[in-house]
């Protein structure tokens, strides 16, 4: 029985990169462009100086731009060569950790280029094969039809329902792997063996230490009082912290309707992987903490009950409309148009059957209803594909110019899209 295990992906990308580093074929501090000549972001300095370590440690400061890859037909090579040059700096280079799936995917592509094979081949030959992970798949396209595989679930209209599996092949080393508990147990043995498996060393002690050392730290340790954890920073593929006095390396990950966690106590030789076919919950971390408490002989807490109470309070929250305001600033028809972004593509807003509809970049299933909220803000509801990012793209807000015309559209996690004025009277839409 396979389930998505996105929590393992960054660790595996870092591990196969470390193997090539150990062999002298590349260095963690190699500039990215030396292995991927087409790598270029908006900032010339970052384009020139960003290293493999920067990618794996999420310290480039480049905007996350989820909309560039999520549901997109663009390949990894196309994303790097066509879209990356428009990626802006969200924070200063190497100033703090800013998690970025696109940069992690790039690290995997750099390693594959050095190895002279595809990223999928690299993982299967150098990691899955030696670890006897016979059922591990890099993405859903590798899973044979009719396989015994879980169905992802999300909350749809207040109830949990199955949603389609998301094809994440274009994000490569950042997420979307499929595995089972047996295969993941082998990966835990490799990690708890500090780079060895069944007596054979696959990654050097030095590289293992580098991956587990802080490469980008918090300005000050963050004590999470309700979790018993103290956050230290990020290594390469690992979050680094302490749990009730025990050193922890861990990572979580999710994609539509799937959520996973991988957490290890290296000195205590304890590792836990949790695979779930539901996202938007915290049960996985509660379960990990419960296992650790029992295994370490610590006083137990009702981690799941506490997490459930927090989620209930959050669900009952939300921002109501401002009292006494008009529902909208303009008639619905006035919001119609094509809005474009160099990174995220085009969004088309149409007026059909007395309501506004949104279609993103002609991506299958990325069509939704815009439900009036207030002023120039709308709720994004009734996605054709129920698995679409969910609450992260639940609002859409138009910005108006001095004449009252919409000139920009902000859509949750997808980003900002500028209006495209038609160039001809025939109504032809602009190219993506």
């Amino acid at each position: 029985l396979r389930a998505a295990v996105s929590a393992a992906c960054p660790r595996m990308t870092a591990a196969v990169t470390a193997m090539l580093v150990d062999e002298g074929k590349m260095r963690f501090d190699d500039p990215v462009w030396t292995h991927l000549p087409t790598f270029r972001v908006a900032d010339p300095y970052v384009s020139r100086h960003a290293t493999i370590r920067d990618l794996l440690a999420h310290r480039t400061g480049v905007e996350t731009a989820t909309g560039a890859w999520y549901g997109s037909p663009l390949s990894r090579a196309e994303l790097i060569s066509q879209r990356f040059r428009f990626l802006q700096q969200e924070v200063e280079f190497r100033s703090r950790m800013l998690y970025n799936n696109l940069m992690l995917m790039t690290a995997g592509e750099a390693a594959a280029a050095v190895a002279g094979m595809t990223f999928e081949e690299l993982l299967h030959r150098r990691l899955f094969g030696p670890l006897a992970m016979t059922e591990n798949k890099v993405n859903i396209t590798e899973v044979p039809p009719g396989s015994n595989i879980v169905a992802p679930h999300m909350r749809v209209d207040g109830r949990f329902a199955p949603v389609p599996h998301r094809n994440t092949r274009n994000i490569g080393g950042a997420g979307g792997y499929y595995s089972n508990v047996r295969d993941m147990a082998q990966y835990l043995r490799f990690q708890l063996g500090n780079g060895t498996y069944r007596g054979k060393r696959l990654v050097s002690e030095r590289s293992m230490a580098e991956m587990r050392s802080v490469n980008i730290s918090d300005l000050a340790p963050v004590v999470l009082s309700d979790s018993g954890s103290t956050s230290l920073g990020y290594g390469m593929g690992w979050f680094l912290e302490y749990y009730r006095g025990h050193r922890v390396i861990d990572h979580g990950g999710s994609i539509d309707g799937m959520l996973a966690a991988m957490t290890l106590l290296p000195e205590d030789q304890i590792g836990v992987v949790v695979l779930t076919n539901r996202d938007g919950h915290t049960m996985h971390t509660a379960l990990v903490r419960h296992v650790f408490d029992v295994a370490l002989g610590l006083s137990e807490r009702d981690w799941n009950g506490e997490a459930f109470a927090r989620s209930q309070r959050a669900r009952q929250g939300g921002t109501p409309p401002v009292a006494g305001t008009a529902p909208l600033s303009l008639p619905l028809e006035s919001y119609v148009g094509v809005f474009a972004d160099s990174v995220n593509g085009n969004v088309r807003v149409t007026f059909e059957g007395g309501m506004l509809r949104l279609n993103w970049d002609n991506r299958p299933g990325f069509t939704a209803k815009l439900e009036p909220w207030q002023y120039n803000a709308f709720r994004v509801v009734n996605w054709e594909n129920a698995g679409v990012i969910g609450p992260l793209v639940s609002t859409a807000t138009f910005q108006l110019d001095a004449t009252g015309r919409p000139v920009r559209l902000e859509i949750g996690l997808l980003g900002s899209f500028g209006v495209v004025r038609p160039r001809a009277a025939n109504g032809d839409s602009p190219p993506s």
Side-chain angles (χ1 to χ4, degrees):
L1 181 66
R2 295 193 188 96
V5 62
S6 296
C9 306
R11 268 76 40 232
M12 292 179 178
T13 300
V16 292
T17 301
M19 292 176 184
L20 298 171
V21 169
D22 289 340
E23 294 167 4
K25 295 178 179 178
M26 65 189 304
R27 299 176 304 138
F28 285 125
D29 294 313
D30 283 345
V32 179
W33 66 266
T34 62
H35 301 301
L36 295 175
T38 60
F39 175 80
R40 178 163 62 93
V41 294
D43 188 315
Y45 185 88
V46 177
S47 301
R48 185 72 179 174
H49 294 278
T51 65
I52 303 299
R53 187 187 302 273
D54 292 324
L55 302 184
L56 291 171
H58 299 288
R59 62 185 196 182
T60 64
V62 174
E63 62 177 309
T64 54
T66 300
W69 65 268
Y70 183 78
S72 170
L74 296 178
S75 68
R76 298 168 210 157
E78 289 171 332
L79 286 168
I80 294 172
S81 63
Q82 297 179 20
R83 299 294 173 94
F84 274 27
R85 65 182 183 274
F86 301 110
L87 294 174
Q88 303 294 322
Q89 291 300 117
E90 189 167 330
V91 299
E92 187 178 347
F93 183 48
R94 294 178 183 165
S95 65
R96 68 177 178 87
M97 177 194 166
L98 182 65
Y99 202 95
N100 193 312
N101 285 308
L102 288 171
M103 297 298 106
L104 187 58
M105 174 271 283
T106 304
E109 291 303 286
V114 169
M117 60 186 75
T118 68
F119 181 70
E120 287 83 356
E121 291 172 331
L122 179 61
L123 281 180
H124 283 289
R125 294 185 187 182
R126 301 302 304 272
L127 198 63
F128 300 165
L131 294 181
M133 299 174 68
T134 58
E135 296 297 313
N136 230 61
K137 307 299 179 184
V138 184
N139 52 67
I140 189 62
T141 65
E142 291 189 345
V143 179
S147 295
N148 186 15
I149 184 172
V150 301
H153 284 68
M154 295 182 71
R155 189 182 294 275
V156 180
D157 296 329
R159 301 178 61 183
F160 288 106
V163 297
H165 288 265
R166 173 69 56 199
N167 184 350
T168 59
R169 190 177 189 279
N170 67 354
I171 204 61
Y177 300 1
Y178 282 74
S179 191
N180 57 25
V181 290
R182 183 208 163 275
D183 275 16
M184 293 314 302
Q186 311 318 307
Y187 193 74
L188 286 179
R189 290 187 173 100
F190 160 68
Q191 287 292 337
L192 292 174
N194 196 30
T196 64
Y197 179 74
R198 294 181 177 175
K200 181 179 180 181
R201 178 157 294 283
L202 301 178
V203 176
S204 70
E205 291 186 10
R206 177 178 179 177
S207 289
M208 293 296 290
E210 283 204 68
M211 288 186 284
R212 297 176 177 186
S213 299
V214 173
N215 276 273
I216 189 75
S217 62
D218 295 315
L219 295 179
V222 179
V223 178
L224 308 175
S225 58
D226 63 346
S227 69
S229 299
T230 302
S231 173
L232 300 177
Y234 198 83
M236 286 187 283
W238 291 106
F239 286 98
L240 309 170
E241 57 190 47
Y242 278 90
Y243 174 74
R244 304 182 77 173
H246 297 259
R247 188 167 74 97
V248 174
I249 59 174
D250 79 326
H251 215 293
S254 65
I255 194 65
D256 304 11
M258 300 278 201
L259 191 151
M262 176 186 290
T263 309
L264 298 96
L265 306 178
E267 281 74 33
D268 300 285
Q269 287 292 285
I270 301 171
V272 180
V273 168
V274 179
L275 310 179
T276 74
N277 63 330
R278 216 209 97 177
D279 64 4
H281 65 82
T282 57
M283 182 278 294
H284 60 306
T285 54
L287 180 57
V288 168
R289 290 167 187 155
H290 174 72
V291 171
F292 285 168
D293 289 348
V294 172
L296 295 169
L298 302 174
S299 59
E300 297 182 37
R301 285 172 56 177
D302 183 11
W303 294 114
N304 193 53
E306 293 177 23
F308 181 75
R310 285 195 299 273
S311 67
Q312 287 294 93
R313 289 194 296 270
R315 188 172 292 117
Q316 293 168 2
T319 305
V322 178
T325 60
L328 291 176
S329 300
L330 302 172
L332 288 177
E333 299 91 328
S334 300
Y335 296 98
V336 170
V338 176
F339 300 79
D341 179 74
S342 299
V343 174
N344 298 317
N346 289 355
V347 168
R348 183 184 301 274
V349 177
T350 58
F351 183 65
E352 308 170 18
M355 68 180 68
L356 290 180
R357 295 196 64 80
L358 177 149
N359 181 276
W360 180 33
D361 219 12
N362 296 314
R363 305 183 190 197
F366 284 77
T367 299
K369 175 184 175 183
L370 294 182
E371 184 179 87
W373 180 237
Q374 65 178 21
Y375 297 127
N376 301 297
F378 293 76
R379 291 183 184 273
V380 186
V381 298
N382 298 334
W383 286 99
E384 182 181 308
N385 178 346
V388 175
I389 302 178
L392 297 178
V393 288
S394 61
T395 59
T397 303
F398 293 86
Q399 295 180 9
L400 310 184
D401 64 11
T403 67
R405 295 193 306 174
V407 292
R408 186 160 292 277
L409 178 58
E410 303 277 349
I411 310 177
L413 185 69
L414 300 186
S416 178
F417 300 77
V419 70
V420 177
R421 300 298 181 194
R423 296 182 179 178
N426 59 13
D428 290 341
S429 60
S432 299

